[in-house]
Amino acid sequence: MKVIVEKNYDELSKRAASLLEEEIRNNPELVLGLATGSTPVGTYEELIRAHRERGLDFSKVSTFNLDEYIGLDGEHPNSYRYFMNEKLFDHININKEKTYVPNGKAQNPIDYCAEYDGDIERAGGIDIQILGIGTNGHIAFNEPADELSVGTSVVQLTKSTIEDNSRFFDSMDEVPKTAISMGIGSILKARKIILLASGKNKAPIMQKLLKENVISTKLPASLLLLHPDVTVIVDEDAYNI
Ligand code: F6R
């Protein structure tokens, strides 16, 4: 794992966006894996700026998002499809047909999960996957457990994730309890991975991940230690305990 420590959230966002900009300029048909949550928002803002000010072209880029809540359709303001449209896709020249976010209203979610992995394969696999990390060490919605799913699957969210994500909802009861999430195997198949972590609340988990150097399904992000090309970009708050 290569670790880059940036002074603050703004610098982290600029660094991540400039790495992505370089990759898109080198390969205009890049397949990008994207995350939702608070952490990548600044990176998306910088990508929008790169599009507006430097003409960064997304017209041939495809994207695959990590996850979506089950039960929410793309019109729901708390759905991850809505989030991605609002935070990125509506502001760049991407072809929306090439933006994949798992369908939270799929008739048969289990069959749908296999289809989603198939879509990723048909697109040629993910070139670069952006990840955030949960305070409990989850990546996508792969929660700490005795076993982790390899492929995209239906997952039960843990109490700590429901609590963390309740800040986006009017009440805790409204937070969906299940989601569709890319599996650890789907994530590890990406050619490159960039993990972003910002803020003091991420410092304990980053300490564990970066300093202990052991893998465990109880710390899903630790499986990234097995991948040959992971760059972790952290700000000082998330790096120093
Ligand atoms: C989002 C996702 C989650 C978040 C994680 C951190 O698509 O898969 O794993 O990356 O929960 O969320 P924030 O960035 O809000 O701290």
Side-chain angles (χ1 to χ4, degrees), residues 38-76:
S38 310
T39 315
V41 171
T43 306
Y44 298 155
E45 284 168 1
E46 290 298 326
L47 287 177
I48 294 167
R49 192 196 309 278
H51 170 66
R52 287 190 180 149
E53 296 178 2
R54 295 188 292 283
L56 184 62
D57 181 17
F58 290 85
S59 61
K60 298 197 181 86
V61 169
S62 323
T63 64
F64 284 89
N65 263 80
L66 289 169
D67 37 25
E68 179 62 282
Y69 291 118
I70 288 186
L72 304 192
D73 66 30
E75 305 293 308
H76 192 291

Side-chain angles (χ1 to χ4, degrees), residues 4 21 23 26 63 94 107 113 116 118 122 150 152 160 164 178 192 205-206 223:
I4 300 174
E21 178 171 357
E23 296 280 349
N26 286 340
T63 64
I94 200 158
Q107 287 277 330
C113 289
Y116 197 69
R122 273 188 291 283
V150 174
T152 297
S160 89
D164 283 351
T178 52
K192 283 187 188 187
I205 200 70
M206 292 312 289
L223 290 154

Side-chain angles (χ1 to χ4, degrees), residues 35-40 66-67 80 132-134 138-141 167 202:
T36 56
S38 310
T39 315
L66 289 169
D67 37 25
Y80 286 170
I133 181 168
H138 73 214
I139 47 174
F141 276 135
R167 67 190 192 277
K202 298 290 168 70

Side-chain angles (χ1 to χ4, degrees), residues 91-156:
H91 311 286
I92 55 176
N93 67 330
I94 200 158
N95 175 355
K96 283 254 181 83
E97 286 180 9
K98 292 183 172 196
T99 67
Y100 294 79
V101 179
N103 177 3
K105 293 288 257 185
Q107 287 277 330
N108 182 335
I110 293 176
D111 290 350
Y112 176 78
C113 289
E115 269 173 47
Y116 197 69
D117 281 328
D119 289 339
I120 297 174
E121 261 175 46
R122 273 188 291 283
I126 291 173
D127 292 308
I128 305 189
Q129 176 68 56
I130 300 293
L131 295 175
I133 181 168
T135 52
N136 64 1
H138 73 214
I139 47 174
F141 276 135
N142 297 289
E143 300 280 24
D146 290 339
E147 293 180 345
L148 295 174
S149 176
V150 174
T152 297
S153 70
V154 173
V155 292
Q156 305 288 327

Side-chain angles (χ1 to χ4, degrees), residues 170-221:
D170 289 338
S171 75
M172 197 106 91
D173 290 344
E174 284 181 32
V175 187
K177 310 290 179 285
T178 52
I180 292 174
S181 172
M182 260 192 218
I184 294 288
S186 328
I187 293 170
L188 289 177
K189 274 189 199 156
R191 291 175 193 98
K192 283 187 188 187
I193 297 176
I194 299 178
L195 174 74
L196 306 175
S198 165
K200 287 194 188 311
N201 65 331
K202 298 290 168 70
I205 200 70
M206 292 312 289
Q207 170 91 6
K208 221 170 174 286
L209 177 67
L210 298 175
K211 313 278 158 72
E212 288 184 8
N213 210 32
V214 288
I215 58 166
S216 162
T217 56
K218 303 276 167 58
L219 201 182

